[in-house]
C-alpha cells in the first residue's frame, strides 16, 4: 500500500499518516498548558526539597529555580511556544528549562514521575477553583442579603406547583437562596479540605527509593499533609469528581433562580425588572425585553452536569493505578469551572441590579385565596375545631368566595356564619396578607421579624 492510500485510510486531515494521528490523540498540551503555573510551582518546591535532602546540589537547585522562573515569565508574557510533539505541559516546561540552563535541568525529574506530577498540578488547580467558587458564592449571598434587607416586609405569593399557596415575604424568598448557596459554599469548603493533601512523592505508583521529604514539599505548596498511599495517589481523581459534583448542585441552584427570573420578569407576572445589563431586545419586536442572561445561566447546568457524568464515566472502570484514560480528566473540569465561575458572577450582577415590583408582588400575594390556611388555623385556635373540620369549613368558604367572584376578606360576616355560626368578626384580623406573614413567627418562618434576624445572622457569618 502506498503512502497516499495509507493516508486516505487513516483520514484525509493527517498528511503524515498514522504517526500524526497518534501524536494528535496522545498530546494533551492543547489543554493542559493551562496548568503551567501549578506545574512550575510544583517543580520549584520539588527542586528545593531535592537540594535540602542532598539529592541534588544547591547550585543545581538554584539554576533550576532561576530557569523555571524564566519559563513562567515567558508563558505569562505569551512568548512561549508550546509543542505538540512534546505531548504535555511537563515536557514542554522541562524542554525549555534545558534550553535555558543546560544539564542541571535533567536533575529536576529525580524522584518523581509524570504520574504524581500531573496529580499535583491538577489538584493545585482544582483547589484554586474551590477558592474562587467560595469567593463567588459569598459575593452572591451578599447580593441576596441586600435584596432581603430592602424587602424584609414586602409581601409576595409563596407557591407550590407554581400555584399561589400562602403569602410570604420577599426577604424570606431571597433568604431561601442564601441558604441554598451557603450549602454550596460548605460543599466547596469540605471538598477543598479533603483534597488538601500533596501527591508529589508517590512517583509512578510505588513511591521512591530516594530520601525525599514529602512533608517539606507539602508545606511549601500549602497542603496539610502528603498523601498516605502511593497507589491511591496516582489513581485518584476524587478531588475533581467532588468539585464537579459540588459545581453541579450549585449550577442547579443557579438554574432554579434563573427560571424564577424568567417567569417573574414576564409581562404576565411583572414581579421584577431585570437591568439592561442583563437583558436583550428582539430583532423584530421592539417591545421585548428578553432575560437572556438568566436563560443562558439556566442552560449552564447542562454543561456542568455533563462534565460530571463524563468524568465519572472515564474513571468507573479503571484498575489501579494510572491509565492514559485519565488524560481525559481535565477538559471537562476546566469547562465546568469556567462556566460555574462565570455563572456565579453573572447571577451576582443580576441579583444586585434586580428591581422588585412591590405593588405587583403584594397584589399577587392577596390573590388565589392565599390566606385560606390562616382562616383554618384561626378556626382551630379560636373555635377549638379539629383541624380536619376547620379545613372543611375553610374549603366551603373558599367555594363561596369563588362563586361570588371575590376573595375571602370580601365575604360578609353573615355569609361566613351561614357556613359556621360561631365565626366572629375577629376572623378578619387573619385574612389580610400582612397579618398572615406577620403571624408566621415559628423558627424559619416568613415573618419580617424572623427575616431581619436571619439577615443579621448571615451578615455576621459572612463578615
Amino acid at each position: 500500500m502506498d503512502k497516499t492510500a495509507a493516508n486516505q485510510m487513516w483520514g484525509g486531515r493527517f498528511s503524515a499518516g498514522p504517526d500524526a494521528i497518534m501524536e494528535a490523540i496522545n498530546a494533551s498540551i492543547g489543554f493542559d498548558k493551562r496548568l503551567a503555573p501549578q506545574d512550575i510551582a510544583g517543580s520549584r518546591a520539588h527542586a528545593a526539597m531535592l537540594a535540602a535532602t542532598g539529592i541534588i546540589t544547591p547550585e543545581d537547585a538554584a539554576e533550576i529555580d532561576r530557569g523555571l522562573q524564566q519559563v513562567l515569565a515567558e508563558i505569562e508574557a505569551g512568548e512561549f511556544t508550546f509543542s505538540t510533539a512534546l505531548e504535555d505541559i511537563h515536557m514542554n516546561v522541562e524542554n525549555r528549562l534545558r534550553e535555558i540552563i543546560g544539564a542541571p535541568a535533567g536533575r529536576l525529574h529525580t524522584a518523581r514521575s509524570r504520574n504524581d506530577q500531573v496529580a499535583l498540578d491538577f489538584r493545585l488547580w482544582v483547589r484554586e477553583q474551590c477558592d474562587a467558587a467560595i469567593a463567588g458564592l459569598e459575593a452572591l449571598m451578599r447580593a441576596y442579603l441586600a435584596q432581603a434587607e430592602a424587602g424584609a416586609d414586602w409581601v409576595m405569593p409563596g407557591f407550590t406547583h407554581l400555584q399561589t399557596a400562602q403569602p410570604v415575604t420577599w426577604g424570606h424568598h431571597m433568604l431561601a437562596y442564601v441558604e441554598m448557596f451557603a450549602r454550596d459554599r460548605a460543599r466547596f469548603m469540605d471538598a477543598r479540605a479533603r483534597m488538601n493533601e500533596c501527591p508529589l512523592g508517590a512517583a509512578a505508583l510505588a513511591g521512591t527509593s530516594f530520601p525525599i521529604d514529602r512533608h517539606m514539599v507539602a508545606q511549601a505548596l500549602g497542603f496539610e499533609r502528603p498523601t498516605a498511599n502511593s497507589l491511591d495517589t496516582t489513581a485518584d481523581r476524587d478531588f475533581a469528581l467532588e468539585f464537579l459534583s459540588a459545581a453541579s448542585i450549585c449550577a442547579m441552584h443557579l438554574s432554579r433562580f434563573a427560571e424564577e427570573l424568567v417567569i417573574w420578569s414576564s409581562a404576565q407576572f411583572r414581579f421584577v425588572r431585570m437591568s439592561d445589563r442583563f437583558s436583550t431586545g428582539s430583532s423584530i419586536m421592539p417591545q421585548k425585553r428578553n432575560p437572556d442572561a438568566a436563560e443562558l445561566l439556566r442552560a449552564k447546568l447542562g454543561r456542568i452536569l455533563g462534565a460530571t457524568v463524563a468524568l465519572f464515566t472515564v474513571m468507573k472502570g479503571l484498575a489501579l493505578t494510572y491509565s492514559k484514560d485519565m488524560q481525559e480528566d481535565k477538559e471537562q473540569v476546566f469547562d465546568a469551572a469556567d462556566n460555574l465561575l462565570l455563572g456565579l458572577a453573572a447571577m451576582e450582577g443580576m441579583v444586585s441590579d434586580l428591581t422588585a415590583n412591590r405593588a405587583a408582588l403584594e397584589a399577587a400575594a392577596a390573590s388565589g385565596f392565599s390566606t385560606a390556611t390562616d382562616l383554618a388555623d384561626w378556626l382551630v385556635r379560636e373555635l377549638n375545631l379539629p383541624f380536619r373540620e376547620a379545613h372543611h369549613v375553610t374549603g366551603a368558604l373558599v367555594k363561596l368566595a369563588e362563586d361570588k367572584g371575590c376573595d375571602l376578606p370580601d365575604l360578609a360576616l353573615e355569609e361566613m356564619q351561614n357556613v359556621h355560626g360561631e365565626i366572629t368578626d375577629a376572623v378578619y384580623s387573619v385574612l389580610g396578607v400582612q397579618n398572615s406573614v406577620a403571624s408566621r413567627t415559628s423558627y424559619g418562618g416568613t415573618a419580617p421579624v424572623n427575616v431581619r434576624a436571619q439577615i443579621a445572622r448571615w451578615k455576621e457569618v459572612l463578615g
Side-chain angles (χ1 to χ4, degrees), residues 333-355:
V333 181
F334 291 163
D335 186 74
D338 289 347
N339 280 282
L340 177 69
L341 297 179
L342 175 62
L344 289 170
M347 186 60 86
E348 181 204 347
M350 282 188 277
V351 174
S352 297
D353 288 0
L354 194 64
T355 302

Side-chain angles (χ1 to χ4, degrees), residues 240-249 300-317 328-329 331-333 335-336:
L241 289 166
E242 196 165 0
F243 172 80
L244 287 174
S245 299
S248 294
I249 297 172
K300 292 295 184 186
L301 172 61
R303 291 179 67 157
I304 295 170
L305 182 58
T308 307
V309 173
L311 186 54
F312 269 104
T313 305
V314 167
M315 297 301 298
K316 73 174 182 63
E328 294 295 313
D329 58 357
E331 287 179 281
Q332 295 91 348
V333 181
D335 186 74

Side-chain angles (χ1 to χ4, degrees), residues 31-32 35 118 122 326-334:
F31 52 86
D32 71 13
L35 299 176
V118 70
F122 197 22
M326 292 165 70
Q327 185 167 289
E328 294 295 313
D329 58 357
K330 296 171 197 67
E331 287 179 281
Q332 295 91 348
V333 181
F334 291 163

Side-chain angles (χ1 to χ4, degrees), residues 122-194:
F122 197 22
R123 193 175 292 229
L124 284 170
W125 190 90
V126 173
R127 189 177 70 177
E128 290 176 10
Q129 304 314 297
C130 284
D131 291 338
I134 291 164
L137 282 162
E138 289 175 352
L140 178 57
M141 290 165 69
R142 290 188 180 95
Y144 279 107
L145 283 174
Q147 285 285 352
E149 192 164 28
D153 57 358
W154 297 1
V155 182
M156 67 175 289
F159 297 99
T160 59
H161 310 281
L162 203 57
Q163 305 292 315
T164 300
Q166 293 177 269
V168 296
T169 52
W170 172 259
H172 197 53
H173 198 108
M174 295 297 102
L175 286 175
Y177 283 94
V178 173
E179 295 289 337
M180 286 188 207
F181 290 118
R183 292 193 295 273
D184 292 324
R185 173 176 173 263
R187 273 184 278 270
F188 283 114
M189 293 171 77
D190 289 347
R192 190 198 193 282
R194 228 177 330 275

